[in-house]
Amino acid sequence: MKRRTAEPYKIKSVETLSMLSYDERHESLARAGYNTFLIDSDDVYIDLLTDSGTTAMSDAQWGALMTGDEAYAGSKSWKRLEQAVKDVYGYNYVLPTHQGRGAENILSQLKIKDGDYVPGNMYFTTTRAHQEMNGATFVDIIIDEAHDPSIDLPFKGNVDLKKLQALIDKVGAEKIPYVCLAVTVNLAGGQPVSMRNMKDVYELCQSYSIDVMFDATRCVENAYFIKDREEGYANQTVAAILKEMLSYSDGCTMSGKKDCLVNIGGFLAMNDEDLYIRSRELVVVYEGMPSYGGMSGRDMEAMAIGIREAVDDHYIEHRIAQVRHLGQQLLDAGIPIVKPIGGHAVFLDARAFLPHLSQEEFPAQSLAAALYLDSGVRSMERGIISAGRDIKTGEHNRPNLELVRLTIPRRVYTNNHMDVVVDSILALYEKRDWISGLKMVYEPPTLRFFNARFEPLCETGELIAEKNKAKQIS
Ligand SMILES: Cc1ncc(COP(=O)(O)O)c(C=O)c1O
């Protein structure tokens, strides 16, 4: 018999959850323009909108808040954070930023020239926005399989080296300031990159003097997948695997709100001294002194501890197991999800869930809204709305993947909460034909998914109703 494991922590403080009625959720959803980003958190039962900044901190982190050194310059807390990054990640130079996009802004401004190309293993919203705002064209070089939710591969975040080589041949290495390698790949479903692939990408780039900059946001989760799936790593610690991974890069941007186990913060790290000196100038302009970069001393104390806690093998093993606990039950019940189950989230395949809706009817947005209506579980669209519009043609970018992301905050919910989510999805699947599409009634010009507003397309005006089915069939 396989022995069960439990959370590698016990609960010291609790937060009461709100449990609204169906009618109250209906009102809340309409107020929010059917966009789960715009629902008040007070109206949410189980919040799987994001794993970003939603981590429960440990008692050691909470205790360390009191030791925060709030000096404007030369803070002791910064020294502790800087040392933690150097010890655990291994880069030579580190600069603090208020969160990941602060680091992306500085990196993009310094490295990109107008007309450049930035290849990446699938885009991330803020990362690509900064690249484009600085004049670059993003080029997707992820393996084709990553765009197919049904293909089960251990390292679906891998770069297709032929695509990278073809881009170099086409535009020239001098037009490629760096390759942006996300580990794991959020928009592919939290899929990891293999050590072999990281090494190959790095070697190819080195031969052309192109830098490799990691988006290290979920790098510890990637390291665990390497331990679990890649030959030769089963007996290594996640900490050792992480160090090796990052050695195949020239630097990274980091959103501390994920794998640094804190609610706010980030950093930019690199091995090149010249890039460090120039980045430090921009940190002063955009973030604050290089000894706090938009964080308070107490934030930095918490992050210094979180960075070390995240590479504890028991912590990360349980983290991935909890995501699997949710995903495997859905798979077993025949619910279409992205395979294999990723590191931080389970992604519902909305095209397969709601085949009666076209991409213009926003299946993922509709399904995310319907899930909230059914149970108060908040998720997020990752499909055509998140992909935005082509900056040149103004047309919708049309990703193959129309996904609803059920993102699991770190150390926050128990497996019982995951079971409640499963029940709601199974109930929705039963009545999936009754779910209507949406029309966008307000579209912001950038990062539209945050603030866009929608209305049910169906004339009945109801998002989930038996009448909708009749309407769609007629
Ligand atoms: C892969 C990835 N990169 C970068 C970011 C941006 O980080 P932040 O939200 O801290 O600005 C995120 C945030 O969700 C992310 O998931």
Side-chain angles (χ1 to χ4, degrees):
M1 190 186 73
K2 189 168 183 318
R3 299 195 55 158
R4 288 175 290 183
T5 55
E7 286 75 8
Y9 46 82
K10 55 185 178 176
I11 295 164
K12 192 174 267 185
S13 173
V14 297
E15 183 179 338
T16 302
L17 297 173
S18 13
M19 299 171 83
L20 304 190
S21 67
Y22 187 91
D23 288 345
E24 288 168 328
R25 292 197 295 274
H26 195 276
E27 263 173 47
S28 171
L29 188 62
R31 255 198 322 272
Y34 293 81
N35 183 348
T36 52
F37 276 97
L38 299 178
I39 299 172
D40 288 341
S41 101
D42 227 11
D43 293 349
V44 173
Y45 174 32
I46 298 175
D47 203 349
L48 306 187
L49 184 73
T50 177
D51 61 332
S52 182
T54 51
T55 300
M57 293 207 298
S58 67
D59 53 353
Q61 287 176 296
W62 281 108
L65 296 187
M66 276 309 291
T67 64
D69 175 2
E70 307 300 346
Y72 187 79
S75 161
K76 286 190 295 233
S77 305
W78 163 240
K79 296 272 170 231
R80 273 195 277 273
L81 173 56
E82 185 184 34
Q83 197 54 53
V85 177
K86 288 183 175 176
D87 289 349
V88 176
Y89 290 72
Y91 294 115
N92 295 341
Y93 302 102
V94 195
L95 286 162
T97 59
H98 73 284
Q99 58 185 83
R101 66 199 73 186
E104 290 167 356
N105 172 35
I106 291 166
L107 180 73
S108 305
Q109 284 207 32
L110 286 176
K111 302 256 319 162
I112 294 171
K113 295 185 302 312
D114 213 18
D116 278 350
Y117 294 83
V118 180
N121 50 346
M122 211 174 266
Y123 81 99
F124 182 71
T125 52
T126 59
T127 322
R128 189 182 65 186
H130 281 296
Q131 291 162 357
E132 289 176 344
M133 278 157 64
N134 284 284
T137 303
F138 165 79
V139 182
D140 189 3
I141 54 164
I142 202 164
I143 54 171
D144 287 341
E145 292 86 339
H147 291 279
D148 183 339
S150 65
I151 297 180
D152 197 337
L153 278 183
F155 293 104
K156 231 173 146 181
N158 277 358
V159 164
D160 181 335
L161 289 151
K162 286 199 218 78
K163 288 188 190 171
L164 176 55
Q165 183 67 61
L167 182 71
I168 298 171
D169 294 343
K170 186 169 159 210
V171 304
E174 62 293 344
K175 285 270 183 209
I176 302 178
Y178 60 96
V179 170
C180 179
L181 194 75
V183 288
T184 62
V185 187
N186 187 352
L187 270 75
Q191 304 297 336
V193 180
S194 71
M195 193 73 90
R196 179 74 261 159
N197 192 248
M198 287 179 211
K199 207 171 168 185
D200 289 344
V201 169
Y202 191 55
E203 279 169 10
L204 179 63
C205 287
Q206 277 198 319
S207 69
Y208 288 97
S209 301
I210 298 171
D211 282 353
V212 177
M213 301 300 291
F214 278 6
D215 178 342
T217 296
R218 297 183 181 82
C219 56
V220 183
E221 290 167 8
N222 201 114
Y224 180 80
F225 282 120
I226 290 175
K227 182 179 168 77
D228 196 38
R229 297 179 184 168
E230 194 162 350
E231 210 185 317
Y233 289 94
N235 296 324
Q236 289 200 28
T237 61
V238 165
I241 296 171
L242 181 64
K243 268 270 185 69
E244 183 185 338
M245 277 169 53
L246 301 176
S247 74
Y248 303 129
S249 70
D250 298 287
C252 78
T253 54
M254 182 72 190
S255 169
K257 302 168 73 174
K258 286 85 168 176
D259 271 357
C260 298
L261 300 180
V262 284
N263 306 120
I264 193 70
F267 62 81
L268 174 63
M270 68 285 284
N271 292 326
D272 176 43
E273 189 180 8
D274 179 55
L275 179 63
Y276 166 68
I277 292 168
R278 291 187 300 134
S279 303
R280 204 172 48 188
E281 298 305 314
L282 289 195
V283 167
V284 180
V285 175
Y286 291 107
E287 304 288 319
M289 282 291 281
S291 58
Y292 71 85
M295 286 181 279
S296 65
R298 54 185 177 273
D299 294 334
M300 294 191 284
E301 289 291 347
M303 192 152 129
I305 293 175
I307 283 173
R308 295 182 197 279
E309 287 180 350
V311 291
D312 173 75
D313 286 311
H314 297 299
Y315 154 73
I316 187 66
E317 187 180 353
H318 171 263
R319 158 81 178 148
I320 303 293
Q322 184 167 60
V323 179
R324 277 189 195 143
H325 178 84
L326 171 62
Q328 195 57 47
Q329 291 186 72
L330 296 175
L331 270 183
D332 292 347
I335 304 294
I337 65 168
V338 173
K339 286 190 266 185
I341 298 161
H344 65 298
V346 172
F347 290 71
L348 301 175
D349 178 355
R351 280 183 196 264
F353 203 112
L354 302 176
H356 57 285
L357 299 186
S358 71
Q359 197 166 26
E360 285 69 29
E361 293 170 315
F362 311 134
Q365 192 76 36
S366 307
L367 184 54
L371 179 60
Y372 171 76
L373 191 55
D374 182 75
S375 58
V377 171
R378 172 155 66 173
S379 59
M380 175 197 289
E381 187 261 10
R382 279 298 182 223
I384 190 169
I385 301 295
S386 296
R389 288 183 186 270
D390 185 296
I391 46 164
K392 292 199 184 101
T393 66
E395 292 295 313
H396 287 300
N397 290 319
R398 288 172 190 281
N400 277 345
L401 301 178
E402 272 295 322
L403 307 177
V404 171
R405 193 179 79 175
L406 305 159
T407 340
I408 299 161
R410 295 168 179 79
R411 307 192 289 205
V412 172
Y413 293 114
T414 65
N415 285 354
N416 286 336
H417 292 105
M418 299 302 118
D419 297 345
V420 168
V421 177
V422 171
D423 287 354
S424 174
I425 293 168
L426 297 193
L428 269 185
Y429 198 60
E430 287 280 298
K431 52 188 175 198
R432 57 192 181 281
D433 296 344
W434 305 358
I435 300 175
S436 153
L438 293 170
K439 64 172 182 263
M440 194 163 21
V441 293
Y442 167 66
E443 179 177 359
T446 41
L447 299 177
R448 61 185 182 180
F449 58 93
F450 282 127
N451 286 306
R453 298 183 71 84
F454 304 84
E455 279 171 10
L457 258 177
C458 199
E459 279 161 27
T460 63
E462 281 191 70
L463 185 66
I464 313 175
E466 212 164 342
K467 292 170 276 185
N468 288 346
K469 182 177 181 188
K471 173 76 193 151
Q472 277 146 10
I473 288 167
S474 66

